Each structure stands twice: as C-alpha cells, then as structure tokens.
Amino acid sequence: MTIYFYYGDEEFNIEQEVNKLKKNLDKDFSDLNFKTFDNPKFTDLIPILRTQPMMFGKMLVIIKSNEYFNRTFDDTEIKQIEEALDNNNENLDIVFLAELPRNDGKKLDSRKKFFKLLSKYNSKEFLSIPVYKTAELENWIRKQAKLKKLEISSDAASSMINQIGNNLRQLDGELEKLKLFIHPEKQITTEMVKEFCISNEDLFAFSDYLMQNEKDKAVLEYRKLLEKRTCLEIVAALQTMLRKWIMLKAKAFEYSFFELAKLTGQHEYVIKLNLQKLKNTSLADLIKLKQNLTDAEFKIKSGQSLSPEKEVENVLFK
C-alpha cells in the first residue's frame, strides 16, 4: 500500500497524477477497485482507510479532504488516522486530495496536525504556473506535446501562451485538437497555432462587435469560431474570458498590471491590450453578456434547445 497527499491550485496536474495511479488497477475490476469519497465524516473515514480490495489486484481510494483543513482533529483522532494509514491492506493505495481555487493565493495551513501527518507520506504540492513564467509554461507545453507524440517549436509554444494563457487544461485541450487537425504531421508550428487554436483576440473581436451592437459582424465572427469549435466550447471559452474581463474592469483602478496578471492568469501585455479595447465597454454590459451566455448554456445542456448553434445566436443577437 502507498499513501499520497496531493494539494494545490493546479487541479489539471493533480488529475494527471491520479490517472497514472488508476492505470495500475485491473481493468476488469476497475469499477469495484476505484472509489472516491468527498470529505467523509471522521466516523466513516477510519473504516474507509481500512477498506479491503474486493477483487484481485490493487484498489485505489481517493479522499477529497479540503474540509479537513478547516477543522481541528484532536490527538486521539490523529492517532487513529495514523494507525489506520500505517496498517491498511498492502493492495490498497490511498490519495488525499486538497484542490484549491486558482489565482486567489490561498494555502493550506501547514501548522495543522492533519497536514503534518499527511506530509509524512508521499506528499506533493501542485501550483499553477504564473503566466509571466513563460519559460516554465513553454517547457510544460513541450513535455505535454511529447506525451501526445507531437513536437512543438518554442515560438509555437509561446504563441499558445499568448493566445490562451496559463490554463493547463485548456492548453492540453488545444494540443489534442492540433493533433487531430494536423494528422499525420507531428510538428506544430506557429502558423498552425494561429489557424486552429481559438484565441483571446478571436473572442474579443466577437464580443467587441456585440458590445458595439454590430450584430451582422458579430454573427460572422461567431460562425468563424464555429469552424474551430462547437458552440458549447465557444460559450465556455467566452465565459472564461468574460470572467477575466469583468475582473479587469472591476479592479483596473486599484491593481497594477502585474497584480492583474496574477489575478487573471494573463500576460501583462495581454492585460494592457484588453483594457485598451474594453475602454468603451461598461462593466454592466459585460455582466449582461455573461448572463445571456449562462442562459443559453443552461438551455442547451438541459435539452431545451433543438439547435444549440441557433440558441446561442438567438440569445446573443436578438
């Protein structure tokens, strides 16, 4: 048996580590030998830690444990947890997860007895990569591309960062899309990134026309985006950008460009560019657009819309 403690604000890297452990499970019994628990009560936690695998091979138990760091375990409880961890089944692997919100600077309290206990085992902190650490982000992109049997130039990786930011899940998704679009080619170039990856500029052009009530141009931009993404992907990407734009409009007068970059996960140059383009757009209009997108997304996902693409058009361009 092995005990793991994964924590931090980069949930994509945490998820990848968990997926590596899942590969060790017997595929024929994976439904029985993989369990996830969400902050179980202490009375339930000890039996979970002593779980016996139900079939042959290893068993993997994931325990989401954020709430455990907002409470205090007494010495007796800590001792029981430690004994259960040290004496559980040799075929049982246990992973404690504490995923934190991105970009809000929160940390787990390392003074807590529970934190100190878990740190004795295989503990690892996963932090999001700040957008200004371009070399580190480029290195991550190259490694991720290599896992997908792709190669990417430094300029192309830099272009992905400028277009997408530091969201690793989104960067990974763009690499997957590039792999499909360029097959059987293996080398990703800057031109390919600009052609196939949705960018902040694409989204801004789309939303900019909406803000200026130039609906004909907005429809054309929307349909261009549909050539690269499904409407739900466009809505999700635009929702992400809108959250950042709303933060920029709300905080622009009290935060520096460096602080805004940390808050939104965008490069300082992109921050300056977006603030300039948002100059004549009100915060209220951005919030209204975000609500319209949320309404459209709900109708599509709940099956109330027969044509998702038209649903988005009707909501945004009515």
Side-chain angles (χ1 to χ4, degrees):
M1 62 86 185
T2 310
I3 311 301
Y4 302 89
F5 174 34
Y6 296 153
Y7 62 99
D9 66 348
E10 187 44 78
E11 51 85 24
F12 181 75
N13 280 345
I14 292 176
E15 180 182 289
Q16 287 204 309
E17 289 298 313
V18 171
N19 287 339
K20 290 178 185 177
L21 296 175
K22 289 174 70 174
K23 290 180 180 179
N24 296 326
L25 302 178
D26 189 319
K27 294 181 180 180
D28 294 331
F29 304 108
S30 58
D31 289 343
L32 294 173
N33 282 344
F34 176 70
K35 302 293 181 184
T36 300
F37 299 92
D38 190 355
N39 297 283
K41 295 179 181 179
F42 177 77
T43 52
D44 297 322
L45 176 61
I46 300 303
I48 290 170
L49 300 181
R50 292 174 174 160
T51 300
Q52 299 295 313
M54 300 183 68
M55 291 292 177
F56 298 108
K58 298 183 73 66
M59 181 173 189
L60 178 62
V61 169
I62 307 297
I63 301 175
K64 298 180 180 180
S65 52
N66 285 58
E67 293 180 12
Y68 290 172
F69 297 94
N70 296 323
R71 59 158 291 181
T72 299
F73 290 97
D74 61 36
D75 290 340
T76 301
E77 291 173 325
I78 289 293
K79 186 176 180 180
Q80 289 184 56
I81 295 172
E82 186 172 19
E83 289 177 349
L85 291 175
D86 289 340
N87 296 287
N88 67 6
N89 190 285
E90 62 179 7
N91 287 320
L92 176 64
D93 288 345
I94 299 172
V95 183
F96 287 89
L97 298 184
E99 296 177 353
L100 304 175
R102 288 173 61 89
N103 302 320
D104 68 356
K106 287 187 177 180
K107 291 274 191 177
L108 295 180
D109 188 348
S110 60
R111 298 168 300 177
K112 294 263 187 186
K113 293 178 181 178
F114 186 66
F115 183 95
K116 291 178 179 178
L117 171 62
L118 294 185
S119 297
K120 291 169 48 180
Y121 301 96
N122 298 281
S123 66
K124 186 174 181 179
E125 184 176 20
F126 294 84
L127 297 176
S128 57
I129 305 172
V131 73
Y132 54 84
K133 291 189 176 181
T134 53
E136 190 174 344
L137 278 170
E138 286 181 18
N139 186 51
W140 186 92
I141 291 171
R142 284 195 294 270
K143 286 182 177 179
Q144 204 67 9
K146 189 174 182 180
L147 291 174
K148 302 176 189 298
K149 303 186 185 306
L150 297 170
E151 295 180 3
I152 184 168
S153 68
S154 180
D155 287 344
S158 178
S159 181
M160 287 190 73
I161 296 167
N162 288 333
Q163 289 188 206
I164 298 162
N166 68 337
N167 187 310
L168 300 190
R169 185 176 296 281
Q170 192 172 351
L171 287 168
D172 180 75
E174 293 300 324
L175 287 172
E176 282 290 343
K177 185 175 69 174
L178 284 164
K179 181 177 180 178
L180 291 174
F181 282 147
I182 70 173
H183 181 77
E185 299 293 326
K186 300 295 183 183
Q187 179 70 45
I188 299 172
T189 64
T190 303
E191 290 71 25
M192 291 172 179
V193 171
K194 291 180 178 178
E195 180 179 359
F196 296 117
C197 293
I198 194 166
S199 71
N200 298 345
E201 287 301 301
D202 292 331
L203 292 170
F204 199 96
F206 172 41
S207 63
D208 198 33
Y209 286 134
L210 285 174
M211 292 297 99
Q212 296 175 39
N213 204 33
E214 296 185 47
K215 295 183 178 179
D216 290 344
K217 292 181 179 179
V219 169
L220 289 176
E221 289 297 325
Y222 171 65
R223 290 173 181 170
K224 286 181 186 177
L225 289 173
L226 283 174
E227 295 175 4
K228 298 182 178 181
R229 294 284 188 97
T230 67
C231 68
L232 278 178
E233 286 178 307
I234 294 169
V235 169
L238 190 53
Q239 287 278 34
T240 298
M241 289 307 305
L242 279 167
R243 282 196 294 271
K244 294 177 180 178
W245 294 338
I246 289 169
M247 281 193 284
L248 288 181
K249 292 292 288 187
K251 302 292 185 181
F253 293 105
E254 53 182 304
Y255 281 61
S256 68
F257 286 132
F258 177 76
E259 290 171 324
L260 289 171
K262 289 180 66 177
L263 183 67
T264 62
Q266 294 177 311
H267 195 278
E268 286 185 64
Y269 171 76
V270 177
I271 296 289
K272 294 177 184 179
L273 186 65
N274 285 347
L275 281 174
Q276 181 62 35
K277 292 189 175 183
L278 285 168
K279 186 176 180 180
N280 297 320
T281 303
S282 71
L283 180 60
D285 283 341
L286 289 173
I287 293 172
K288 182 179 178 181
L289 175 57
K290 191 174 186 307
Q291 184 58 56
N292 285 344
L293 284 168
T294 301
D295 292 340
E297 189 174 11
F298 174 78
K299 289 181 179 178
I300 294 168
K301 289 182 176 179
S302 62
Q304 298 179 41
S305 174
L306 297 177
S307 175
E309 292 80 6
K310 282 294 182 183
E311 184 66 46
V312 175
E313 281 197 26
N314 291 339
V315 170
L316 295 176
F317 311 131
K318 61 183 178 180

